[in-house]
């Protein structure tokens, strides 16, 4: 009997010459997560968590897109721990995230912007992960159809059988994964395990996140953009004022772009370059953005794309948080602009009286 012939097919798949303009081998979020889990020894449980977050993102995206028709605009009449008025979508997105993470069976501790206290999941064994998240960042803009997003970071307990509250109160550099989901004209998830930044766009035709950005980096020639709420400019410290003044004094002045939704502003900053800033000021002396579940994940992702994130004097990811809802100033973006800002923090005194006695750093070479 003659031996049967077989065609050898590689793991990279096949693509017919007739369909070079069509993606016949899409890398879905699920496929990417499973491949990455195989590379991370002892971290296979992470794939369950990330797939649960992917499902939660689809549910939240659907709610955001249908908010007006389903009566999900408006307040619920409560204020969260960080002092923000809770919108209906805030509460819904929070419930969706919590339930998705509980359903993964791999998460023991959760910290959410919408909950005053951290949450410990009862009845899970060998759940070594702690997840911190802002379920719906920028929700104050939802009524006017401005883009909003979900931000998350994940910690892993390497020694004990189950993660504890302390595992959620670590420097951002200890995260094993982080990401955000942008709900806009398309739904995009940006994700990193610490091996580069990857983006996935939700294909509405078959309801899957498909890879659209592979090992994304800041542009080699970043645009000259600064993103900050200039309405607070009179309240800023002198280094921040001096830096923004410097951006306007260049031969080609920087453009100002500010949406007021951190996920949207940071997403643009990564794709185009420039700098996003939310400095401390006289009104919010410790900054306004939350360190654990806003600053840490975004700083993690920006660094994975080749950028820099600082509070002006320290690397954001090196800060040891003391409280679950601790705030921090943050400046993040391409190295060119963030490093220039740090020069001002190193040379310009914080108070106006002393600043007048010091000269400004020179223009960008």
């Amino acid at each position: 009997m003659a031996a049967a012939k077989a065609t050898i097919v590689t793991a990279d798949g096949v693509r017919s010459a007739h369909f070079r303009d069509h993606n016949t081998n899409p890398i879905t979020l699920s496929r990417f997560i499973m491949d990455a889990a195989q590379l991370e020894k002892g971290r296979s449980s992470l794939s369950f968590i990330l797939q649960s977050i992917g499902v939660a993102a689809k549910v939240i995206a659907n709610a955001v897109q249908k908010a007006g028709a389903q009566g999900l605009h408006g307040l619920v009449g409560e204020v969260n721990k960080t002092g923000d008025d809770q919108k209906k979508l805030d509460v819904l997105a929070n419930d969706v995230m919590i339930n998705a993470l509980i359903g993964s069976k791999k998460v023991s501790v959760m910290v959410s912007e919408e909950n005053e206290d951290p949450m410990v999941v009862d009845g899970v064994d060998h759940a070594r992960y702690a997840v911190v998240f802002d379920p719906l960042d920028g929700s104050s803009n939802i009524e006017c159809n401005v883009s909003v997003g979900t931000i998350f970071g994940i910690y892993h307990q390497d020694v004990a059988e189950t993660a504890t509250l302390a595992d959620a109160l670590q420097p951002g550099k200890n995260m094993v994964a982080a990401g955000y989901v942008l709900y806009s004209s398309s739904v995009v998830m940006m994700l990193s395990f610490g091996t580069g930044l990857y983006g996935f766009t939700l294909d509405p035709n078959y309801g899957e996140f498909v890879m659209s950005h592979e090992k994304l980096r800041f542009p080699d020639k970043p645009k000259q953009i600064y993103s900050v709420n200039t309405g607070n400019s009179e309240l800023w410290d002198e280094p921040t004022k001096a830096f923004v003044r410097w951006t306007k004094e260049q031969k080609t002045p920087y453009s100002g772009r500010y949406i007021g939704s951190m996920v949207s502003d940071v997403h643009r900053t990564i794709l185009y370059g420039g700098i996003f800033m939310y400095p401390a000021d006289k009104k919010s002396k410790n900054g306004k953005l939350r360190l654990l579940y806003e600053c840490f994940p975004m700083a993690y992702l920006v660094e994975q794309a080749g950028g820099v994130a600082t509070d002006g004097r320290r690397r954001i990811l090196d800060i040891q948080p003391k409280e679950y809802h601790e705030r921090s100033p943050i400046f993040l973006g391409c190295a060119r602009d963030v490093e220039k800002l740090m020069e001002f923090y190193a040379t310009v005194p914080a108070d106006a009286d002393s600043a007048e006695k010091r000269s400004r750093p020179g223009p960008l070479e």
Side-chain angles (χ1 to χ4, degrees):
M1 183 176 179
K5 293 183 178 181
T7 300
I8 303 300
V9 180
T10 69
D12 294 329
V14 298
R15 173 171 290 186
S16 170
H18 299 291
F19 303 105
R20 295 197 182 278
D21 294 333
H22 296 268
N23 187 2
T24 60
N25 187 27
I27 300 177
T28 64
L29 177 63
S30 298
R31 174 177 163 184
F32 174 79
I33 290 171
M34 294 304 296
D35 288 345
Q38 293 176 18
L39 299 176
E40 292 283 343
K41 294 182 179 179
R43 299 277 173 85
S44 60
S45 295
L46 185 58
S47 63
F48 292 93
I49 298 171
L50 290 169
Q51 293 199 59
S52 295
I53 292 174
V55 173
K58 296 175 189 178
V59 176
I60 295 170
N62 182 68
V64 168
Q65 291 165 355
K66 296 181 178 180
Q70 295 184 352
L72 292 175
H73 287 162
L75 302 171
V76 296
E78 297 179 6
V79 177
N80 64 20
K81 171 62 178 178
T82 57
D84 297 329
D85 291 324
Q86 285 186 316
K87 297 291 188 75
K88 293 178 182 178
L89 276 174
D90 285 321
V91 177
L92 184 149
N94 193 47
D95 288 351
V96 170
M97 283 291 291
I98 290 171
N99 290 332
L101 293 171
I102 291 174
S104 74
K105 308 297 184 184
K106 304 298 180 182
V107 176
S108 179
V109 176
M110 296 177 285
V111 178
S112 168
E113 180 190 16
E114 302 302 328
N115 293 81
E116 180 173 357
D117 299 317
M119 294 163 279
V120 176
V121 182
D122 186 34
V124 291
D125 297 322
H126 307 291
R128 294 183 171 182
Y129 288 89
V131 181
V132 297
F133 58 94
D134 181 349
L136 201 64
D137 175 75
S139 60
S140 61
N141 294 315
I142 195 71
E143 281 88 348
C144 55
N145 286 337
V146 170
S147 303
V148 294
T150 297
I151 308 172
F152 61 90
I154 304 174
Y155 293 99
H156 180 256
Q157 167 57 258
D158 291 313
V159 180
E161 291 293 330
T162 304
T164 65
L165 291 177
D167 292 308
L169 208 59
Q170 301 183 57
K173 64 184 178 182
N174 294 345
M175 286 181 171
V176 296
Y180 64 77
V181 184
L182 175 64
Y183 309 109
S184 185
S185 55
S186 61
V187 180
V188 178
M189 177 185 287
M190 303 300 289
L191 176 66
S192 179
F193 299 102
T195 57
L197 180 60
Y198 295 83
F200 300 84
T201 300
L202 182 62
D203 188 324
N205 289 322
Y206 51 92
E208 285 283 357
F209 281 101
V210 178
M211 184 181 289
S212 51
H213 305 81
E214 184 174 5
K215 292 209 168 183
L216 183 63
R217 306 285 292 179
F218 276 87
D220 293 333
K221 294 183 179 180
K223 291 186 178 182
Q224 293 180 210
I225 298 173
Y226 70 91
S227 180
V228 64
N229 182 359
T230 54
N232 294 326
S233 60
E234 291 302 313
L235 304 176
W236 295 341
D237 60 18
E238 291 305 314
T240 301
K241 289 181 180 179
F243 172 76
V244 173
R245 186 164 54 241
W246 171 85
T247 66
K248 299 176 181 179
E249 293 171 349
Q250 301 310 296
K251 183 177 180 180
T252 302
Y254 279 51
S255 298
R257 298 285 185 272
Y258 185 69
I259 299 169
S261 173
M262 187 187 190
V263 173
S264 301
D265 282 314
V266 173
H267 188 67
R268 183 201 56 248
T269 301
I270 293 173
L271 292 178
Y272 293 169
I275 182 171
F276 168 81
M277 304 185 289
Y278 212 117
D281 56 38
K282 294 176 183 177
K283 182 173 60 176
S284 302
K285 295 184 178 180
N286 295 320
K288 188 174 180 181
L289 296 181
R290 272 66 58 162
L291 183 63
L292 198 61
Y293 41 78
E294 291 178 324
C295 297
F296 278 169
M298 289 306 204
Y300 185 97
L301 298 172
V302 163
E303 287 196 3
Q304 288 298 311
V308 180
T310 178
D311 68 353
R313 296 179 173 83
R314 299 173 293 177
R315 178 188 180 216
I316 285 289
L317 294 181
D318 286 340
I319 300 174
Q320 172 63 56
K322 299 179 178 62
E323 300 175 0
Y324 293 105
H325 298 286
E326 184 175 341
R327 298 176 186 266
S328 173
I330 187 169
F331 307 87
L332 56 80
C334 66
R336 177 198 66 194
D337 294 336
V338 180
E339 289 173 358
K340 188 65 183 178
L341 174 129
M342 292 173 70
E343 289 181 28
F344 283 90
Y345 268 90
T347 58
V348 177
D351 61 286
D353 292 338
S354 299
E356 291 179 358
K357 302 176 184 178
R358 304 282 290 271
S359 60
R360 302 180 204 160
L364 181 68
E365 296 181 357

